[in-house]
Amino acid sequence: MNIAKIDLNLLVYLDVLLREGSVTKAANQLSITQPAMSNGLKRLRDLFKDPLLVRTSDGMTPTKRALELQPTIRDVLSKLESSIQPETEFNPETSTRTFRIMASDYAESTLLLELIEELSYKAPNITLDLITPSDVTFHDVEQGKVDMAINRFDELPLSFHQKVIWYDQFACVLNKNNPRCENFNLDNYLSGQHIWVSKTGFGIGVGIDPNEVQKLGWVDAELTKIGKQRQIRVFTRHYHAALQLAKTQNLIATLPSRAAKIFKDDPDIVVLPPPFDIPPIALKMAWSALLQHDAGHIWLRRLIADVSERMNGS
């Protein structure tokens, strides 16, 4: 294949086609006609000697060859875009930029409280638009519609850049008058009633089935390993709600330690280590390759790293 004879626009077409999974949507994205996009797809099929996208009952489905090409094409275009863009300085003191961040309630209750305080004097005119995990998809982040996702992820697309912000242990939060505080062993823990709190990943959330233990997350997975199961009475996606319920009811909240610290100075709250082992969880930030070289985004990532490092040392 003589690369000098390749129309680089075809690589842009392929990148958008694979992201959109539709000739019509890809044409709209690039502001060209549908026949022009269809012709581009025909030329791409001739170029790669592969159908690339095949119509199935689920719509246009990429072939194995197309899936192999996708990260390479995305990486090439990302580097090309960054190299031809003019170098621009980012001045946080004068910038009026809005950063759209998908954040779990855990991240919002811990890291982002500190970040917002830091922004108030380092970048007073910058706005944060905080979005919940159920508001966005991986596709939104990949396209750069969302600047960053901050959450605990089981897995992320290979095209994403990511960085661990911190690792966190678990803690149990109880009302000081809860009778289980005095001898907080595994039997007492299991005899109590519990609040489940968690929210990870992307997309619209679905209801929880208490009997599907394997889907309940870290705490219940570890209990299952030792042949135990707790009695969950309340399911919530909000850490403040879980903490408030633990404070006012005889319910036990088992949650990451940094979230438990929200109530560390409350005289009505007792924070205790879990009476069984739970592996630490990792809070990560993830972003699109499209934003990797953006000056403002680089500044925000560094600021988040600085804030988290200071919090880790406190």
Coordinates of all heavy atoms in Angstrom, one line a residue, residues 225-302:
K225 N -17.2 -14.4 50.2 CA -16.0 -15.2 50.2 C -15.8 -16.0 51.5 O -15.2 -17.1 51.6 CB -14.7 -14.4 50.0 CG -14.6 -13.9 48.5 CD -13.3 -13.1 48.4 CE -13.2 -12.5 47.0 NZ -12.1 -11.6 46.8
I226 N -16.4 -15.4 52.6 CA -16.3 -16.1 53.9 C -17.6 -16.7 54.3 O -17.8 -17.1 55.5 CB -15.8 -15.2 55.0 CG1 -16.7 -13.9 55.2 CG2 -14.3 -14.7 54.8 CD1 -16.3 -13.0 56.4
G227 N -18.5 -16.9 53.3 CA -19.8 -17.5 53.5 C -20.8 -16.8 54.3 O -21.6 -17.4 55.0
K228 N -20.7 -15.4 54.3 CA -21.6 -14.6 55.1 C -22.4 -13.7 54.2 O -22.0 -13.4 53.1 CB -20.8 -13.8 56.1 CG -19.9 -14.6 57.1 CD -20.8 -15.5 58.0 CE -19.8 -16.3 58.9 NZ -20.6 -17.2 59.8
Q229 N -23.5 -13.1 54.8 CA -24.3 -12.1 54.0 C -24.9 -11.2 55.0 O -25.4 -11.6 56.1 CB -25.4 -12.9 53.2 CG -26.2 -11.9 52.3 CD -27.2 -12.7 51.4 OE1 -27.2 -13.9 51.4 NE2 -28.0 -11.9 50.7
R230 N -24.9 -9.9 54.7 CA -25.5 -8.9 55.7 C -26.9 -8.6 55.3 O -27.4 -8.9 54.2 CB -24.6 -7.6 55.7 CG -24.5 -7.0 54.3 CD -23.7 -5.7 54.4 NE -23.5 -5.1 53.1 CZ -23.1 -3.9 52.8 NH1 -22.8 -3.0 53.9 NH2 -22.9 -3.4 51.6
Q231 N -27.7 -8.0 56.2 CA -29.0 -7.6 56.0 C -29.1 -6.2 55.6 O -28.9 -5.3 56.4 CB -29.8 -7.8 57.3 CG -29.8 -9.2 58.0 CD -30.5 -9.2 59.3 OE1 -31.6 -8.9 59.4 NE2 -29.7 -9.5 60.3
I232 N -29.4 -6.0 54.3 CA -29.4 -4.6 53.8 C -30.9 -4.1 53.8 O -31.7 -4.7 53.2 CB -28.8 -4.5 52.3 CG1 -27.4 -5.1 52.3 CG2 -28.9 -3.1 51.8 CD1 -26.8 -5.2 51.0
R233 N -31.1 -3.0 54.4 CA -32.4 -2.4 54.5 C -32.6 -1.2 53.7 O -33.7 -0.9 53.3 CB -32.7 -2.1 56.0 CG -32.9 -3.3 56.9 CD -34.2 -4.0 56.5 NE -34.3 -5.3 57.1 CZ -33.9 -6.5 56.6 NH1 -33.4 -6.5 55.3 NH2 -34.0 -7.6 57.2
V234 N -31.5 -0.5 53.3 CA -31.6 0.7 52.5 C -30.5 0.7 51.4 O -29.4 0.4 51.8 CB -31.5 2.0 53.3 CG1 -31.5 3.2 52.4 CG2 -32.5 2.1 54.4
F235 N -30.9 0.9 50.2 CA -30.0 1.0 49.1 C -30.0 2.5 48.7 O -31.0 3.1 48.4 CB -30.4 0.2 47.9 CG -30.2 -1.3 48.1 CD1 -31.2 -2.0 48.7 CD2 -29.1 -1.9 47.8 CE1 -31.1 -3.4 49.0 CE2 -28.9 -3.3 48.0 CZ -29.9 -4.0 48.6
T236 N -28.8 3.1 48.6 CA -28.7 4.5 48.2 C -27.4 4.7 47.4 O -26.5 3.9 47.5 CB -28.7 5.5 49.4 OG1 -28.6 6.8 48.9 CG2 -27.5 5.2 50.3
R237 N -27.4 5.7 46.5 CA -26.3 6.1 45.7 C -25.6 7.3 46.3 O -24.6 7.8 45.7 CB -26.6 6.3 44.3 CG -26.8 5.1 43.4 CD -28.1 4.3 43.8 NE -28.3 3.2 43.0 CZ -29.2 2.3 43.2 NH1 -29.9 2.3 44.4 NH2 -29.4 1.3 42.4
H238 N -26.0 7.8 47.5 CA -25.5 9.0 48.0 C -24.8 8.8 49.4 O -25.5 8.3 50.3 CB -26.6 10.1 48.1 CG -27.3 10.3 46.8 ND1 -26.7 11.1 45.8 CD2 -28.5 9.9 46.3 CE1 -27.5 11.1 44.7 NE2 -28.6 10.4 45.0
Y239 N -23.6 9.2 49.5 CA -22.9 9.0 50.7 C -23.4 9.9 51.9 O -23.4 9.5 53.0 CB -21.4 9.3 50.5 CG -20.7 8.2 49.7 CD1 -20.7 8.1 48.4 CD2 -20.2 7.1 50.4 CE1 -20.1 7.1 47.7 CE2 -19.6 6.0 49.7 CZ -19.6 6.0 48.4 OH -19.0 5.0 47.7
H240 N -23.8 11.1 51.6 CA -24.4 12.0 52.6 C -25.6 11.3 53.2 O -25.9 11.4 54.4 CB -24.6 13.4 52.1 CG -23.4 14.2 52.1 ND1 -23.0 14.8 53.3 CD2 -22.6 14.6 51.1 CE1 -21.9 15.6 53.0 NE2 -21.6 15.4 51.7
A241 N -26.5 10.8 52.3 CA -27.7 10.1 52.8 C -27.3 8.9 53.7 O -28.0 8.7 54.7 CB -28.5 9.7 51.6
A242 N -26.3 8.1 53.3 CA -25.9 6.9 54.0 C -25.4 7.4 55.4 O -25.8 6.8 56.4 CB -24.9 6.2 53.3
L243 N -24.6 8.4 55.4 CA -24.1 8.9 56.7 C -25.2 9.4 57.6 O -25.1 9.2 58.8 CB -23.0 10.0 56.4 CG -21.7 9.5 55.8 CD1 -20.9 10.6 55.2 CD2 -20.9 8.7 56.8
Q244 N -26.1 10.1 57.0 CA -27.2 10.7 57.8 C -28.1 9.6 58.4 O -28.5 9.7 59.5 CB -28.0 11.6 57.0 CG -28.9 12.6 57.7 CD -28.1 13.6 58.6 OE1 -27.1 14.1 58.2 NE2 -28.6 13.8 59.8
L245 N -28.3 8.5 57.6 CA -29.1 7.4 58.1 C -28.4 6.7 59.2 O -29.0 6.2 60.2 CB -29.4 6.4 56.9 CG -30.5 6.9 55.9 CD1 -30.4 6.0 54.7 CD2 -31.8 6.8 56.6
A246 N -27.0 6.5 59.0 CA -26.3 5.9 60.1 C -26.3 6.7 61.4 O -26.3 6.1 62.5 CB -24.8 5.7 59.6
K247 N -26.3 8.0 61.2 CA -26.4 8.9 62.4 C -27.7 8.8 63.1 O -27.7 8.8 64.4 CB -26.1 10.3 62.0 CG -26.2 11.3 63.1 CD -25.8 12.7 62.6 CE -26.0 13.7 63.7 NZ -25.7 15.1 63.3
T248 N -28.8 8.8 62.4 CA -30.1 8.9 63.0 C -30.8 7.6 63.3 O -31.8 7.5 64.0 CB -31.0 9.8 62.2 OG1 -31.1 9.2 60.9 CG2 -30.4 11.2 62.0
Q249 N -30.4 6.5 62.7 CA -31.0 5.2 62.8 C -30.0 4.2 63.3 O -28.8 4.4 63.3 CB -31.6 4.7 61.5 CG -32.4 5.7 60.7 CD -33.7 6.0 61.4 OE1 -34.3 5.1 62.0 NE2 -34.2 7.2 61.3
N250 N -30.5 3.0 63.8 CA -29.6 2.0 64.2 C -29.2 1.1 63.0 O -29.4 -0.1 62.9 CB -30.2 1.1 65.2 CG -30.1 1.7 66.7 OD1 -29.2 2.4 66.9 ND2 -31.0 1.3 67.6
L251 N -28.6 1.8 62.0 CA -28.2 1.2 60.7 C -26.6 1.4 60.6 O -26.1 2.4 61.1 CB -28.8 1.8 59.5 CG -30.4 1.7 59.4 CD1 -30.9 2.5 58.3 CD2 -30.7 0.2 59.2
I252 N -26.0 0.4 60.0 CA -24.6 0.5 59.8 C -24.2 0.8 58.3 O -24.8 0.2 57.4 CB -23.9 -0.9 60.1 CG1 -24.3 -1.3 61.6 CG2 -22.4 -0.9 60.0 CD1 -23.9 -2.7 61.9
A253 N -23.4 1.8 58.1 CA -22.9 2.1 56.8 C -21.5 1.7 56.6 O -20.6 2.1 57.5 CB -23.1 3.6 56.5
T254 N -21.2 0.9 55.7 CA -19.8 0.5 55.4 C -19.4 1.1 54.1 O -19.9 0.8 53.0 CB -19.7 -1.1 55.3 OG1 -20.2 -1.6 56.5 CG2 -18.2 -1.5 55.1
L255 N -18.4 2.0 54.2 CA -18.1 2.9 53.0 C -16.6 3.3 53.0 O -16.0 3.1 54.1 CB -19.0 4.1 52.9 CG -19.0 5.1 54.0 CD1 -19.9 6.3 53.6 CD2 -19.5 4.6 55.4
P256 N -16.1 3.8 51.9 CA -14.7 4.2 51.9 C -14.4 5.2 53.1 O -15.2 6.1 53.4 CB -14.5 4.9 50.6 CG -15.5 4.2 49.7 CD -16.7 3.9 50.6
S257 N -13.2 5.1 53.6 CA -12.8 5.9 54.8 C -12.9 7.4 54.6 O -13.3 8.1 55.5 CB -11.4 5.5 55.3 OG -11.4 4.2 55.6
R258 N -12.5 7.8 53.4 CA -12.5 9.3 53.1 C -14.0 9.8 53.2 O -14.2 11.0 53.6 CB -11.9 9.6 51.8 CG -10.4 9.3 51.8 CD -9.8 9.7 50.5 NE -8.4 9.4 50.4 CZ -7.4 10.2 50.8 NH1 -7.7 11.4 51.3 NH2 -6.1 9.8 50.8
A259 N -14.9 9.0 52.8 CA -16.3 9.5 52.9 C -16.8 9.5 54.3 O -17.5 10.4 54.8 CB -17.2 8.6 52.1
A260 N -16.3 8.5 55.1 CA -16.7 8.4 56.5 C -16.1 9.6 57.3 O -16.7 10.1 58.3 CB -16.1 7.1 57.1
K261 N -15.0 10.2 56.8 CA -14.4 11.3 57.5 C -15.3 12.6 57.4 O -15.0 13.6 58.1 CB -13.0 11.6 56.9 CG -11.9 10.7 57.3 CD -10.6 11.0 56.7 CE -9.5 10.1 57.1 NZ -8.2 10.4 56.5
I262 N -16.3 12.6 56.5 CA -17.2 13.7 56.4 C -17.8 14.0 57.8 O -18.0 15.2 58.2 CB -18.2 13.5 55.4 CG1 -17.6 13.4 54.0 CG2 -19.3 14.6 55.4 CD1 -18.6 12.9 52.9
F263 N -18.1 13.0 58.6 CA -18.7 13.1 59.9 C -17.7 12.9 61.0 O -18.1 12.6 62.1 CB -19.8 12.1 60.0 CG -21.1 12.6 59.4 CD1 -21.2 13.8 58.7 CD2 -22.3 11.9 59.6 CE1 -22.4 14.2 58.2 CE2 -23.5 12.3 59.1 CZ -23.6 13.5 58.3
K264 N -16.4 13.0 60.8 CA -15.4 12.7 61.8 C -15.5 13.5 63.0 O -15.1 13.0 64.1 CB -14.0 12.8 61.2 CG -13.5 14.2 60.9 CD -12.1 14.2 60.3 CE -11.5 15.6 60.1 NZ -12.3 16.4 59.2
D265 N -16.0 14.7 62.9 CA -16.1 15.6 64.1 C -17.5 15.6 64.8 O -17.8 16.4 65.7 CB -15.7 17.0 63.7 CG -14.3 17.2 63.3 OD1 -13.4 16.4 63.8 OD2 -14.0 17.9 62.3
D266 N -18.4 14.8 64.2 CA -19.8 14.7 64.8 C -19.8 13.9 66.0 O -19.4 12.7 66.0 CB -20.7 14.1 63.7 CG -22.2 14.3 64.1 OD1 -22.5 14.0 65.2 OD2 -22.9 14.7 63.2
P267 N -20.2 14.4 67.2 CA -20.2 13.7 68.4 C -21.1 12.5 68.5 O -21.0 11.6 69.3 CB -20.5 14.7 69.5 CG -21.3 15.8 68.7 CD -20.7 15.8 67.4
D268 N -22.1 12.5 67.6 CA -23.1 11.4 67.6 C -22.7 10.2 66.7 O -23.4 9.2 66.6 CB -24.5 11.9 67.1 CG -25.0 13.0 68.0 OD1 -24.9 12.8 69.2 OD2 -25.7 13.9 67.5
I269 N -21.5 10.3 66.1 CA -21.1 9.3 65.1 C -19.8 8.6 65.7 O -19.0 9.2 66.3 CB -20.7 9.9 63.8 CG1 -22.0 10.3 63.0 CG2 -19.9 9.0 62.9 CD1 -22.8 9.2 62.5
V270 N -19.8 7.2 65.4 CA -18.6 6.4 65.7 C -18.2 5.8 64.4 O -19.0 5.2 63.7 CB -19.0 5.3 66.8 CG1 -17.8 4.4 67.0 CG2 -19.4 5.9 68.1
V271 N -16.9 5.9 64.2 CA -16.3 5.3 63.0 C -15.4 4.2 63.4 O -14.4 4.4 64.2 CB -15.5 6.4 62.1 CG1 -14.9 5.7 60.9 CG2 -16.4 7.5 61.7
L272 N -15.6 3.0 62.9 CA -14.9 1.8 63.3 C -14.4 1.0 62.1 O -15.0 1.1 61.0 CB -15.8 0.9 64.1 CG -16.4 1.4 65.4 CD1 -17.5 0.5 66.0 CD2 -15.3 1.6 66.5
P273 N -13.2 0.3 62.3 CA -12.8 -0.5 61.2 C -13.7 -1.7 61.0 O -14.3 -2.3 61.9 CB -11.4 -1.0 61.6 CG -11.4 -0.9 63.1 CD -12.3 0.3 63.4
P274 N -13.9 -2.2 59.7 CA -14.7 -3.4 59.5 C -14.2 -4.6 60.2 O -12.9 -4.7 60.3 CB -14.7 -3.5 58.0 CG -14.2 -2.2 57.5 CD -13.3 -1.6 58.5
P275 N -15.0 -5.5 60.7 CA -14.5 -6.7 61.4 C -14.2 -7.8 60.4 O -14.2 -9.0 60.8 CB -15.7 -7.0 62.3 CG -16.9 -6.5 61.6 CD -16.5 -5.3 60.8
F276 N -13.9 -7.5 59.2 CA -13.4 -8.5 58.2 C -12.6 -7.7 57.1 O -12.7 -6.5 57.1 CB -14.6 -9.2 57.6 CG -15.6 -8.4 56.9 CD1 -15.6 -8.2 55.5 CD2 -16.6 -7.7 57.6 CE1 -16.5 -7.4 54.9 CE2 -17.5 -6.9 57.0 CZ -17.5 -6.7 55.6
D277 N -11.8 -8.4 56.4 CA -11.0 -7.7 55.4 C -11.7 -7.3 54.1 O -12.5 -8.1 53.6 CB -9.8 -8.6 55.0 CG -8.8 -8.9 56.1 OD1 -8.7 -8.0 57.0 OD2 -8.2 -9.9 56.2
I278 N -11.5 -6.1 53.7 CA -12.1 -5.6 52.4 C -10.9 -4.9 51.7 O -10.3 -4.0 52.2 CB -13.2 -4.5 52.7 CG1 -14.2 -5.0 53.6 CG2 -13.8 -4.1 51.3 CD1 -15.3 -4.0 54.0
P279 N -10.6 -5.3 50.5 CA -9.5 -4.7 49.7 C -9.7 -3.3 49.5 O -10.9 -2.8 49.3 CB -9.4 -5.5 48.4 CG -10.2 -6.8 48.7 CD -11.2 -6.5 49.8
P280 N -8.7 -2.5 49.4 CA -8.9 -1.0 49.2 C -9.4 -0.8 47.7 O -9.2 -1.6 46.9 CB -7.5 -0.4 49.3 CG -6.5 -1.6 49.1 CD -7.3 -2.8 49.6
I281 N -10.1 0.3 47.5 CA -10.5 0.7 46.2 C -9.7 1.8 45.7 O -9.1 2.6 46.4 CB -12.1 1.1 46.2 CG1 -12.3 2.1 47.3 CG2 -12.9 -0.2 46.5 CD1 -12.4 3.5 46.8
A282 N -9.7 2.0 44.3 CA -8.9 3.0 43.7 C -9.9 4.0 43.1 O -10.8 3.7 42.3 CB -8.0 2.4 42.6
L283 N -9.7 5.3 43.4 CA -10.4 6.4 42.7 C -9.5 6.9 41.6 O -8.3 7.1 41.8 CB -10.6 7.6 43.7 CG -11.4 8.8 43.1 CD1 -12.8 8.4 42.8 CD2 -11.3 10.0 44.0
K284 N -10.1 6.9 40.4 CA -9.3 7.3 39.2 C -9.9 8.5 38.5 O -11.1 8.7 38.6 CB -9.3 6.1 38.2 CG -8.6 4.8 38.7 CD -8.6 3.8 37.6 CE -7.8 2.5 38.1 NZ -7.9 1.5 37.1
M285 N -9.1 9.2 37.7 CA -9.6 10.1 36.7 C -9.3 9.6 35.4 O -8.2 9.0 35.1 CB -9.1 11.5 37.0 CG -7.6 11.7 36.9 SD -7.2 13.5 37.1 CE -5.4 13.4 37.4
A286 N -10.2 9.7 34.4 CA -10.1 9.2 33.1 C -10.5 10.3 32.1 O -11.5 11.0 32.4 CB -10.9 7.9 32.9
W287 N -9.9 10.3 30.9 CA -10.2 11.4 30.0 C -9.9 10.9 28.5 O -9.2 9.9 28.3 CB -9.5 12.7 30.3 CG -8.0 12.6 30.2 CD1 -7.2 12.9 29.1 CD2 -7.1 12.2 31.3 NE1 -5.8 12.7 29.4 CE2 -5.8 12.2 30.7 CE3 -7.3 11.7 32.6 CZ2 -4.7 11.9 31.5 CZ3 -6.2 11.4 33.3 CH2 -4.9 11.5 32.8
S288 N -10.5 11.6 27.6 CA -10.3 11.2 26.2 C -8.9 11.6 25.6 O -8.3 12.6 26.0 CB -11.4 11.9 25.3 OG -11.1 11.8 24.0
A289 N -8.5 10.8 24.7 CA -7.2 11.1 24.0 C -7.3 12.4 23.3 O -6.3 13.1 23.0 CB -6.9 10.0 23.0
L290 N -8.5 12.8 23.0 CA -8.7 14.1 22.3 C -8.3 15.3 23.1 O -8.0 16.4 22.6 CB -10.2 14.3 21.9 CG -10.8 13.3 20.8 CD1 -12.3 13.5 20.7 CD2 -10.1 13.5 19.5
L291 N -8.3 15.1 24.4 CA -8.0 16.2 25.3 C -6.6 16.1 26.0 O -6.2 16.9 26.8 CB -9.1 16.3 26.5 CG -10.5 16.7 26.0 CD1 -11.5 16.4 27.1 CD2 -10.5 18.1 25.5
Q292 N -5.9 15.1 25.6 CA -4.6 14.8 26.2 C -3.6 16.0 26.2 O -2.9 16.2 27.1 CB -4.0 13.5 25.6 CG -2.6 13.2 26.0 CD -2.4 12.8 27.5 OE1 -3.4 12.6 28.2 NE2 -1.2 12.6 27.9
H293 N -3.6 16.7 25.0 CA -2.7 17.7 24.8 C -3.3 19.1 25.0 O -2.6 20.1 24.7 CB -2.0 17.6 23.4 CG -1.4 16.3 23.2 ND1 -0.2 15.9 23.8 CD2 -1.8 15.2 22.5 CE1 0.1 14.7 23.5 NE2 -0.8 14.2 22.7
D294 N -4.5 19.2 25.4 CA -5.2 20.5 25.6 C -4.5 21.2 26.8 O -4.5 20.6 27.9 CB -6.7 20.3 25.8 CG -7.4 21.6 26.1 OD1 -7.4 22.0 27.3 OD2 -7.9 22.1 25.1
A295 N -4.1 22.5 26.6 CA -3.4 23.2 27.7 C -4.2 23.3 29.0 O -3.7 23.1 30.1 CB -2.9 24.5 27.2
G296 N -5.5 23.7 28.8 CA -6.3 23.9 30.0 C -6.6 22.6 30.7 O -6.6 22.5 31.9
H297 N -6.7 21.5 29.9 CA -7.0 20.2 30.5 C -5.7 19.7 31.3 O -5.8 19.1 32.4 CB -7.4 19.2 29.4 CG -8.1 18.0 29.9 ND1 -7.6 16.9 30.4 CD2 -9.5 17.8 30.0 CE1 -8.5 16.0 30.7 NE2 -9.7 16.6 30.5
I298 N -4.6 19.9 30.7 CA -3.3 19.6 31.4 C -3.2 20.3 32.7 O -2.8 19.7 33.7 CB -2.1 19.9 30.5 CG1 -2.1 19.0 29.2 CG2 -0.8 19.8 31.3 CD1 -1.1 19.4 28.2
W299 N -3.6 21.6 32.7 CA -3.5 22.3 34.0 C -4.5 21.8 35.0 O -4.1 21.6 36.2 CB -3.9 23.8 33.7 CG -3.9 24.6 34.9 CD1 -2.9 25.3 35.5 CD2 -5.1 24.9 35.7 NE1 -3.3 25.9 36.7 CE2 -4.7 25.7 36.8 CE3 -6.5 24.6 35.6 CZ2 -5.6 26.2 37.8 CZ3 -7.3 25.0 36.6 CH2 -6.9 25.8 37.6
L300 N -5.7 21.4 34.6 CA -6.7 20.8 35.5 C -6.2 19.5 36.1 O -6.3 19.3 37.3 CB -8.0 20.7 34.8 CG -9.1 20.1 35.7 CD1 -9.5 21.0 36.8 CD2 -10.4 19.8 34.8
R301 N -5.7 18.7 35.2 CA -5.2 17.4 35.7 C -4.0 17.5 36.7 O -4.0 16.8 37.7 CB -4.7 16.5 34.5 CG -5.7 16.2 33.5 CD -5.3 15.1 32.6 NE -4.1 15.2 31.9 CZ -3.9 15.7 30.6 NH1 -5.0 16.1 29.9 NH2 -2.7 15.8 30.1
R302 N -3.2 18.5 36.5 CA -2.1 18.7 37.4 C -2.6 19.3 38.8 O -2.1 18.9 39.8 CB -1.1 19.7 36.8 CG -0.2 19.1 35.7 CD 0.7 20.1 35.1 NE 1.5 19.5 34.1 CZ 2.2 20.2 33.1 NH1 2.1 21.6 33.1 NH2 2.9 19.6 32.2

